[in-house]
Amino acid sequence: MLSRFHVHLNNGEDVIRDEEGILVSDIDAALIAAMEVIQKLRAQDDVSAAEWQGWRLEITDGAGKVTESLSLDDPLSTKSLRD
């Protein structure tokens, strides 16, 4: 069964909300999709990468609870918020 997750961008002040979300099999698949987004943002160019300093990707479940948080500064630094 597929579940809908949303991947929001947050810098502590502003939030760019993912209103559509993604349908994936589980939170791990959502995490992989979020990491792919980070790679695309970093690949754009150096100026774009600098603009995303201090931002995080926050993955929320269907209830709106943040389950994972990934830094755009260091995508390997994943903060799991799972129970």
Side-chain angles (χ1 to χ4, degrees):
M1 184 167 90
L2 297 178
S3 298
R4 185 170 303 277
F5 292 89
H6 296 268
V7 183
H8 307 295
L9 286 160
N10 186 335
N11 72 354
E13 292 181 24
D14 299 311
V15 177
I16 301 172
R17 297 190 56 78
D18 171 15
E19 299 297 338
E20 184 178 328
I22 56 173
L23 282 173
V24 291
S25 57
D26 57 24
I27 185 61
D28 292 325
L31 188 57
I32 290 168
M35 288 182 181
E36 290 171 352
V37 168
I38 291 173
Q39 288 177 339
K40 288 178 186 176
L41 287 172
R42 293 178 142 238
Q44 287 179 355
D45 60 50
D46 291 337
V47 175
S48 291
E51 291 175 0
W52 292 110
Q53 293 293 312
W55 286 82
R56 300 189 70 75
L57 283 178
E58 295 182 337
I59 302 172
T60 60
D61 61 17
K65 178 183 174 190
V66 176
T67 57
E68 299 285 342
S69 182
L70 297 141
S71 171
L72 292 184
D73 297 338
D74 181 9
L76 297 178
S77 143
T78 303
K79 181 178 179 186
S80 179
L81 303 171
R82 297 182 225 183
D83 293 332

